Structures are given as C-alpha cells and as structure tokens.
Amino acid sequence: MNKADLIVGAQWGDEGKGKIVDMMAQNYDVVCRYQGGHNAGHTIVVDGVRYALHLIPSGVLNPKAINIIGNGVVVSPQSLINEMKQFKNINKRLFVSDKAHMILDFHSQIDLAREKLRGKNAIGTTGKGIGPAYAGKIERVGYQLGKLRNIPRLVDSLMEYFRVNAIIFDALGVKPASREELTAEFEGYAKELLPYITSTTELVWKYLDEGKKILLEGAQGTLLDIDHGTYPFVTSSNTVSASACTGLGLNPKDIGKVTGIVKAYCTRVGNGPFPTEDFGEAGNILRERGHEFGTTTGRARRCGWFDAVACRFASRLNGLDQIALMKLDVLDGFKKVKICTSYERDGKHYAEFPENLDDIKPIYEEMDGWESVQGVRSYDKLPDNAKKYIKRIEEITKTKVGIISTGAERLDTIVL
C-alpha cells in the first residue's frame, strides 16, 4: 500500500524544515502543506539564491513536483497571489483546497487589536490574522476559498457577519470593508485563484492510488501545538504529525515515514516559556551565526542550548522514525556545548516534559566542542566530538539521527 511520508517540526518552529523538504522533494512527485498559514516561513537557499516561502509548499523549487495546500491551512488570498508571482510555470503544479479558510483583512485587524489590549501579557503573535481565522472556522462563521465561486452570496454573508458583530468591531477599533470594497476584492481573488482551487482531498487520494511519492510538510513546531504545546503561548493550529490527516483528508494508515526536524540548538520566537534560553554570550553567538531572525516577521529569535527532554516528548508525540539535525555548523568553535537532559524546580527533578514550565530550570550535560563541520558532506569526515554530540542526542531522545545539515546549501547535508 502506497503511503505518504511526513516532515514535522519537533521544537518551537523555525527548525529548518524548508531546507529538508526542498532537498527531499527532489525525490517526490507531490508535496503538501496541511496546517498553519502565512505566519509560517521557510527560507531555502539553492545555488546561492535565497527563497522565502510562507504558504506554497517547499516542493515548488522542484520543477516536476506538484504542490498542494490542504484544507487545514488558513490562506491569505493576497499573500498567496504575491507568493505565486515568484515562480514561473506554476500552473498545473499548484492546487489549493476549496475547503481551506480565507484570512481576510478584518481577521488581521482583530489579531493586532487584541494583542495590543493584552499589553505585557501579549502572546507574541505575528498579527497575520491566523488565530481569528481559525476561531471563525471553529465558530462556524469562516469563509472557505471555494465560496469565491459565488461572490454575491459570499459578500452577503460577510455583511451580515459585520452587522451582528458591529459592537465588538467598534470596541476593538476594527473597520470592516464596505460591500463595494469586498466585491472588488473577491473578484480580484477569484480571477487569480479559482484556476487553482479544487478538492485537494480527492486529488491526494488519486495520487496515492496511482503510486505517486507524496511528502507532507508541517509548519511551525510541535511545542507550538494548540493542544500539546506551551499553551497559551502557541500557534492556532495542531502542528503535530496527526494533524496531517485532518488537514488533508487522509487516514492514519496513509502515513509512512515520519521525520522530525530539530536544530542542533534551540530557538523560539515570541513570548512563552523556553527552558534552555541563554541570555549571555552563547545566546548572542547562536543568534548571529545562525541568522536567527524570523522569515515572516524579521523578529530576533530567542536562542539557547539543545533541549533533549522536549525533543524526546516531541518524538513520542509525533511517532518519529528519525531526526533531521539542522545547523550543526552553528555550534562550530564552542569550547563546550550543552544538552539539557532534565529539569529542576523547587528542588524537584523532572525527567520528562511537564505540563507547566513556569520557573523550570534546565539541568545540562556539558560536552567538548569541535572546530568546524561547515560544509562537511560525509559522516566519516565529521570531527569526533561532533559525532559524540550526535550520538548523545540519539541516546537521550531515543530517536536515531538520519539527516545532518552542515550548512545552508542544499548539498551541505549528510544522509545516514
């Protein structure tokens, strides 16, 4: 039975999924996104050219691959249109679910207004309208892309929604569009996007039945999952591997090999607990060497040492078959490197990832560093101390490392 392989972020997002999906997509016929929105950001470097993707699957850089945006994704139509313009001959290589919900301007206005009202308790959202769009979906007042086929009915529905919520909009300072503005906006979207909108669930089933090789691409990371992450400092969707099923219309038996992407250290964007965050020189070095600034927002990422406790939790939750260890080269030159092996709080020891991370302190195992792994493409040529570091990660996370990235280029990769 043909199965779809899956890639999922196993930290707080920004793990380097884009590079691995781009590399692996060269061997797949179809690449699918199944959750999140344009708050996601993948940076891919190919032949020295840097591409920033937010909605379109990373397989777009394989000229032979078909790319699918599933029903679990929330789509900003204008952002998608802008992103499509980067690529030539995308027609017949991109399909978007008619069940995917749209992010509209008022969603972004609500997002920004609520974040401002939270003040010092702000979650640290991107302000892209992701949360309000997913909230509308759950409240059954969302707007699917397929509705662009009947614009008058879509506009009528939105105008009624605006009327019912006028008091709330006024309180938040949200200014909804007029009927005329909405009509013109949707006509523009329909002209650009309707040729790409279809039942992607049936399409994925068809490709599976035909024996095509399919790769499923997650956005954000496990520790930002709405249910299993560091709530409320999470994203608005399920980011774990299981959400690939609901986000595309697959069943668990359709899923094949699951690869979890992690950096050789940890980063986090926005607010919320981050046990291994380093506030000193090491954190600054990781940020500068790793170019740790958000693809979507440009925000500086918080940086720290590898959290093996969190990674073991993510591995079990996602059913990881292997880890892809990214940016090992960023640790070059450190005399000592650290791995968090457990936590401590008020004298109590935590060997596993707790529900509450407040006031948690990491317990580190320190290892000797190495000079350089930059651009190494053979495991045998890695420094011994780098191999020991990789081996220790495998031992603590109980998951084998199958891929090692030693640089930004596609070929700076070791596949074991």
Side-chain angles (χ1 to χ4, degrees):
M1 180 180 175
N2 190 30
K3 295 180 181 290
D5 294 333
L6 191 151
I7 286 179
V8 63
Q11 293 170 323
W12 278 279
D14 309 307
E15 299 97 346
K17 294 181 292 294
K19 174 183 173 177
I20 295 301
V21 175
D22 168 61
M23 182 190 79
M24 293 178 65
Q26 308 307 307
N27 300 313
Y28 284 83
D29 304 306
V30 184
V31 183
C32 309
R33 266 281 301 273
Y34 54 84
Q35 49 75 221
H38 65 308
N39 56 338
H42 291 333
T43 301
I44 302 170
V45 179
V46 181
D47 297 329
V49 179
R50 187 177 295 269
Y51 298 89
L53 302 176
H54 301 277
L55 281 166
I56 298 175
S58 303
V60 70
L61 296 174
N62 173 0
K64 296 180 180 179
I66 293 167
N67 297 270
I68 291 175
I69 298 175
N71 57 275
V73 180
V74 283
V75 176
S76 163
Q78 190 57 59
S79 295
L80 178 57
I81 291 167
N82 292 342
E83 198 167 316
M84 288 165 62
K85 291 177 181 177
Q86 296 181 84
F87 306 101
K88 297 178 181 179
N89 303 320
I90 201 169
N91 189 27
K92 296 184 179 180
R93 289 210 305 122
L94 176 66
F95 298 96
V96 187
S97 174
D98 52 9
K99 294 180 182 178
H101 282 246
M102 288 187 281
I103 301 173
L104 301 173
D105 180 65
F106 75 91
H107 291 128
S108 300
Q109 291 189 56
I110 291 171
D111 205 1
L112 292 168
R114 286 178 175 167
E115 190 75 340
K116 184 177 180 180
L117 288 171
R118 292 185 184 105
K120 66 178 182 180
N121 296 317
I123 293 172
T125 75
T126 58
K128 302 287 186 180
I130 310 297
Y134 272 119
K137 176 179 180 178
I138 299 304
E139 291 172 359
R140 300 181 297 279
V141 289
Y143 302 95
Q144 296 170 316
L145 279 166
K147 305 301 182 186
L148 289 172
R149 297 184 180 115
N150 190 333
I151 291 174
R153 183 180 295 177
L154 174 59
V155 172
D156 285 345
S157 178
L158 266 163
M159 295 308 296
E160 175 65 11
Y161 178 76
F162 292 162
R163 183 191 69 79
V164 170
N165 290 275
I167 295 175
I168 298 172
F169 281 17
D170 286 343
L172 291 173
V174 173
K175 297 180 180 180
S178 68
R179 177 179 291 274
E180 292 73 24
E181 289 170 332
L182 283 174
T183 300
E185 180 181 358
F186 290 142
E187 286 176 347
Y189 294 160
K191 180 181 178 182
E192 296 287 343
L193 296 178
L194 277 180
Y196 301 90
I197 294 173
T198 188
S199 172
T200 53
T201 296
E202 292 181 10
L203 201 57
V204 175
W205 290 353
K206 173 177 175 287
Y207 291 144
L208 277 171
D209 291 344
E210 291 175 351
K212 291 189 182 298
K213 295 188 66 178
I214 300 176
L215 185 64
L216 313 180
E217 173 185 2
Q220 288 91 36
T222 297
L223 302 179
L224 295 177
D225 184 272
I226 188 69
D227 287 303
H228 301 286
T230 52
Y231 191 89
F233 300 99
V234 292
T235 193
S236 302
S237 62
N238 287 111
T239 60
V240 295
S241 58
S243 69
C245 293
T246 55
L248 285 163
L250 299 174
N251 69 64
K253 294 178 181 178
D254 291 324
I255 305 301
K257 189 174 186 178
V258 182
T259 299
I261 314 299
V262 298
K263 284 174 181 163
Y265 51 101
C266 280
T267 65
R268 177 165 195 167
V269 169
N271 300 328
F274 182 12
T276 63
E277 183 171 9
D278 189 286
F279 298 95
E281 183 183 5
N284 290 329
I285 291 172
L286 292 171
R287 186 176 303 106
E288 293 302 320
R289 284 188 189 168
H291 306 289
E292 296 296 353
F293 300 90
T295 303
T296 298
T297 64
R299 287 183 294 181
R301 296 174 183 142
R302 300 155 63 191
C303 297
W305 299 106
F306 188 85
D307 189 335
V309 183
C311 186
R312 184 169 64 241
F313 168 76
S315 179
R316 179 67 179 86
L317 193 60
N318 290 296
L320 299 187
D321 294 299
Q322 66 173 1
I323 286 172
L325 189 66
M326 310 301 293
K327 291 191 168 185
L328 185 63
D329 55 300
V330 174
L331 296 181
D332 287 354
F334 279 100
K335 291 184 178 179
K336 296 288 183 178
V337 291
K338 298 179 181 180
I339 298 176
C340 173
T341 58
S342 60
Y343 305 130
E344 184 272 333
R345 177 170 53 204
D346 298 329
K348 184 178 179 180
H349 181 259
Y350 293 83
E352 302 299 334
F353 195 74
E355 178 274 330
N356 178 13
L357 288 173
D358 292 346
D359 301 318
I360 279 285
K361 296 180 181 179
I363 296 175
Y364 288 117
E365 181 176 308
E366 199 169 74
M367 304 180 69
D368 290 332
W370 53 86
E371 189 170 324
S372 177
V373 301
Q374 175 67 47
V376 174
R377 299 177 181 180
S378 167
Y379 182 80
D380 292 340
K381 294 182 179 179
L382 287 174
D384 286 342
N385 285 343
K387 292 178 183 177
K388 291 177 183 177
Y389 182 75
I390 294 165
K391 183 67 175 176
R392 191 66 182 124
I393 286 175
E394 289 182 323
E395 291 171 351
I396 304 172
T397 64
K398 301 179 181 178
T399 314
K400 74 171 185 177
V401 173
I403 301 172
I404 303 162
S405 174
T406 60
E409 287 286 346
R410 179 189 286 167
L411 297 177
D412 292 341
T413 309
I414 300 168
V415 179
L416 300 178

